[in-house]
Amino acid sequence: MKNILILLCFFTAQICFGKLWMPSILSDNMVLQQNAEVNIWGWTTQTNETITITASWNNTPIEIKAHQGSWSTKIATPKGGGTYTLTVSGHEEVVIKNILIGEVWLGSGQSNMEWTPDAGLVNADEEIAKADYPNIRFFSVLRKKSNTPQDDLEGEWVVCTPETMRKSSAVAYFFGRKLLENLEVPIGLITSSWGGTPVEVWIEKDKILKDNELKKAASKLKEYEWWPKEPGVSFNAMINPITKFNIAGFIWYQGESNRANPFSYYKSFPLLISNWREKWDKELPFYFTQIAPYEYDSVLNVAAAIVRDAQLQTMLKVPKTGMVVTNDIGNLKDIHPINKQDVGQRLALWALAKNYGQEDIVYSGPIFSKMEVNKNKVTLLFDYSKSGLMKKGKNLKEFYVAGADKVFYEAKAKIEGENVVLRSSKVKKPIAVRFAFTDTALPNLFNNEGLPASAFRTDDWEINLE
């Protein structure tokens, strides 16, 4: 009799505590990627259970078997719209409500991506008051680190209202709002950011440690109480759990913290992009923000300039990437410039032009392409300048030329159509040019669409930061 009672208690406990669940990214108010085969997955305490999934947009049940407590399937999504439900049935039933289908983007990085309107924003009261967009949804991942890859994370989908917008990423919001206005489909904005974090924490640890240069560079990162520095720990906790979730692409704002090891950023930043694309198993578009001018405590005043150059080289060399320049909207006294509207909208220009077929959009400021030297005159040619170049202010600033002695002197610069012509009385035979190549440079060259030119250098001369 005693044994029977024990067995009854055991089976009763199994029934009472049995559970069917999904990761937090699959929950009420979510946005699923349109016109896609999206992943739907989860877990069950019944290790060999049949799971039935029914989406209200097609009402076609899909049956799958759980294997050792895990289950996963794919469901086709239609063109953007909603609202819908998703019902998952097994030994219990879970219904996900208020689902939209549209375009989903992941925003990540450090504090300038994390920055909310509540923390400071141009015209904050006005922007917050009008942020009533039921077709924009936010999912903000809570900060967490882990030494091992995780399956789930903390966060929830919320509808965009003035109250939710004010506590969400400002850059992501303005990016998403621009997409919504142009595409007229729902927009899902996942943000997974942590202020102060270097790029290494967002890359899988083994990819850093097996590269001696990156391993050495990571060791130069300083320890802080407020954010992690160990390779992979943010990736494990804040990115890995959502790599099964279908998205349209990435937006990224980070780099300030890698002034401690700027030369390695030429390798670590492209590595992050390839790492994430590998985990999503797709060459997704990756659009990012070049860090803004700021008065860092820097002896040579070029560590941030090197990071910017690494960002530029990444855009030029890595397919399906794009870069937003911010040297016109920074603040030398504030590492968190409050003009997040232009940042988000400029990121959206890349997506609209490259991913959504709006090819008539000019999506980049001038990018240096070629240098021609005739005696003491240097002619600079640019991409994204077909409509012509312009300056804001009386004279062009931040152009420097050098000869064989490798000493740079400020040059007189003049716009001639799509080109810029430089001369310096101190350099008779120029062989190199640098433009806005300091941490604090505030240049004033734009294309006629009003997008600023990126800093650049034509030389590869060694820069000693020791």
Side-chain angles (χ1 to χ4, degrees):
M1 185 67 179
K2 183 177 179 182
N3 290 337
I4 293 174
L5 288 173
I6 291 172
L7 286 172
L8 285 172
C9 290
F10 173 78
F11 287 117
T12 301
Q14 291 295 300
I15 295 170
C16 292
F17 294 104
K19 188 179 178 184
L20 176 69
W21 75 102
M22 285 166 284
S24 59
I25 194 72
L26 297 175
S27 55
D28 292 349
N29 306 314
M30 70 178 174
V31 181
L32 292 176
Q33 182 63 31
Q34 66 174 342
N35 298 320
E37 291 279 328
V38 301
N39 294 311
I40 305 296
W41 74 100
W43 306 274
T44 174
T45 52
Q46 307 298 311
T47 58
N48 191 29
E49 183 174 22
T50 297
I51 307 294
T52 302
I53 301 172
T54 307
S56 68
W57 55 84
N58 61 19
N59 289 311
T60 302
I62 297 175
E63 287 191 354
I64 54 173
K65 276 279 191 181
H67 177 68
Q68 296 179 356
S70 296
W71 54 267
S72 178
T73 191
K74 293 180 182 292
I75 296 180
T77 56
K79 182 181 177 180
T83 59
Y84 300 107
T85 60
L86 187 71
T87 303
V88 180
S89 302
H91 67 278
E92 63 178 0
E93 183 175 273
V94 178
V95 181
I96 302 177
K97 306 179 185 69
N98 197 27
I99 300 170
L100 295 178
I101 293 176
E103 291 296 302
V104 184
W105 287 77
L106 169 60
S108 187
Q110 57 183 110
S111 54
N112 273 305
M113 179 61 79
E114 190 178 35
W115 208 247
T116 68
D118 264 354
L121 179 70
V122 175
N123 299 326
D125 291 343
E126 176 186 348
E127 293 286 13
I128 292 169
K130 66 183 183 183
D132 185 13
Y133 292 98
N135 279 353
I136 295 178
R137 306 288 172 84
F138 302 112
F139 186 96
S140 300
V141 177
L142 296 186
R143 296 173 175 179
K144 195 173 182 181
K145 65 178 184 177
S146 173
N147 290 322
T148 56
Q150 299 299 296
D151 292 327
D152 202 359
L153 44 67
E154 294 183 69
E156 64 176 339
W157 286 98
V158 295
V159 178
C160 177
T161 65
E163 190 55 36
T164 59
M165 173 268 196
R166 70 189 304 153
K167 300 180 186 303
S168 302
S169 165
V171 168
Y173 166 73
F174 291 114
F175 170 82
R177 190 178 74 179
K178 183 78 170 178
L179 294 189
L180 179 69
E181 292 168 352
N182 282 266
L183 303 179
E184 297 182 340
V185 297
I187 304 296
L189 300 169
I190 305 167
T191 53
S192 184
S193 304
W194 192 332
T197 48
V199 72
E200 288 85 353
V201 306
W202 299 101
I203 302 170
E204 286 185 288
K205 181 178 181 179
D206 67 323
K207 294 187 180 299
I208 297 289
L209 298 186
K210 73 180 181 182
D211 185 297
N212 288 333
E213 179 186 350
L214 296 183
K215 182 179 179 181
K216 182 178 178 180
S219 69
K220 295 181 180 180
L221 297 170
K222 296 180 180 179
E223 187 77 57
Y224 291 96
E225 180 182 352
W226 308 280
W227 58 79
K229 71 159 193 169
E230 301 86 3
V233 294
S234 295
F235 175 88
N236 288 337
M238 300 174 65
I239 297 296
N240 190 71
I242 53 176
T243 54
K244 292 181 182 178
F245 194 78
N246 298 67
I247 61 174
F250 309 102
I251 56 174
W252 174 262
Y253 196 159
Q254 188 275 340
E256 294 90 345
S257 288
N258 282 99
R259 291 180 301 105
N261 55 5
F263 295 111
S264 67
Y265 208 75
Y266 288 95
K267 183 181 286 189
S268 58
F269 185 33
L271 178 61
L272 176 135
I273 297 170
S274 64
N275 187 191
W276 287 19
R277 288 173 170 173
E278 177 186 314
K279 299 301 289 189
W280 264 270
D281 196 25
K282 191 174 182 181
E283 193 178 51
L284 293 167
F286 195 106
Y287 304 131
F288 57 91
T289 305
Q290 192 181 55
I291 60 175
Y294 177 69
E295 289 182 351
Y296 297 99
D297 182 17
S298 174
V299 176
L300 295 180
N301 197 33
V302 293
I306 294 167
V307 171
R308 289 189 205 110
D309 190 57
Q311 292 173 322
L312 173 62
Q313 295 307 314
T314 298
M315 183 194 73
L316 294 174
K317 296 175 182 178
V318 179
K320 296 186 180 180
T321 60
M323 183 180 74
V324 165
V325 176
T326 60
N327 56 34
D328 63 323
I329 53 176
N331 184 334
L332 294 182
K333 303 297 182 183
D334 189 349
I335 201 170
H336 304 116
I338 61 174
N339 182 352
K340 295 294 191 277
Q341 289 94 328
D342 281 331
V343 178
Q345 290 166 11
R346 289 174 185 179
L347 286 165
L349 293 178
W350 277 94
L352 291 169
K354 293 295 188 177
N355 300 99
Y356 300 116
Q358 299 188 18
E359 297 176 358
D360 57 330
I361 291 176
V362 176
Y363 50 88
S364 174
I367 300 295
F368 168 76
S369 65
K370 187 178 180 182
M371 178 178 74
E372 297 176 349
V373 180
N374 183 10
K375 296 181 180 179
N376 72 330
K377 183 177 78 170
V378 179
T379 301
L380 302 174
L381 285 67
F382 294 85
D383 293 325
Y384 310 107
S385 63
K386 289 184 178 179
S387 65
L389 299 172
M390 70 174 185
K391 63 181 184 291
K392 294 186 178 181
K394 186 177 180 180
N395 299 308
L396 282 178
K397 302 183 296 182
E398 298 292 349
F399 285 95
Y400 294 82
V401 296
D405 61 359
K406 300 184 180 181
V407 177
F408 282 90
Y409 296 93
E410 188 170 9
K412 291 183 178 180
K414 181 181 179 181
I415 293 173
E416 293 186 1
E418 300 175 32
N419 306 327
V420 172
V421 176
L422 307 179
R423 286 185 177 87
S424 172
S425 60
K426 296 181 179 180
V427 183
K428 302 301 182 184
K429 295 182 179 180
I431 62 173
V433 172
R434 289 182 181 178
F435 170 64
F437 202 77
T438 64
D439 296 355
T440 53
L442 296 172
N444 61 344
L445 176 65
F446 300 78
N447 58 20
N448 279 335
E449 287 77 18
L451 295 174
S454 172
F456 67 89
R457 63 170 176 156
T458 66
D459 66 281
D460 59 359
W461 300 334
E462 182 179 359
I463 300 173
N464 188 355
L465 296 179
E466 299 298 330

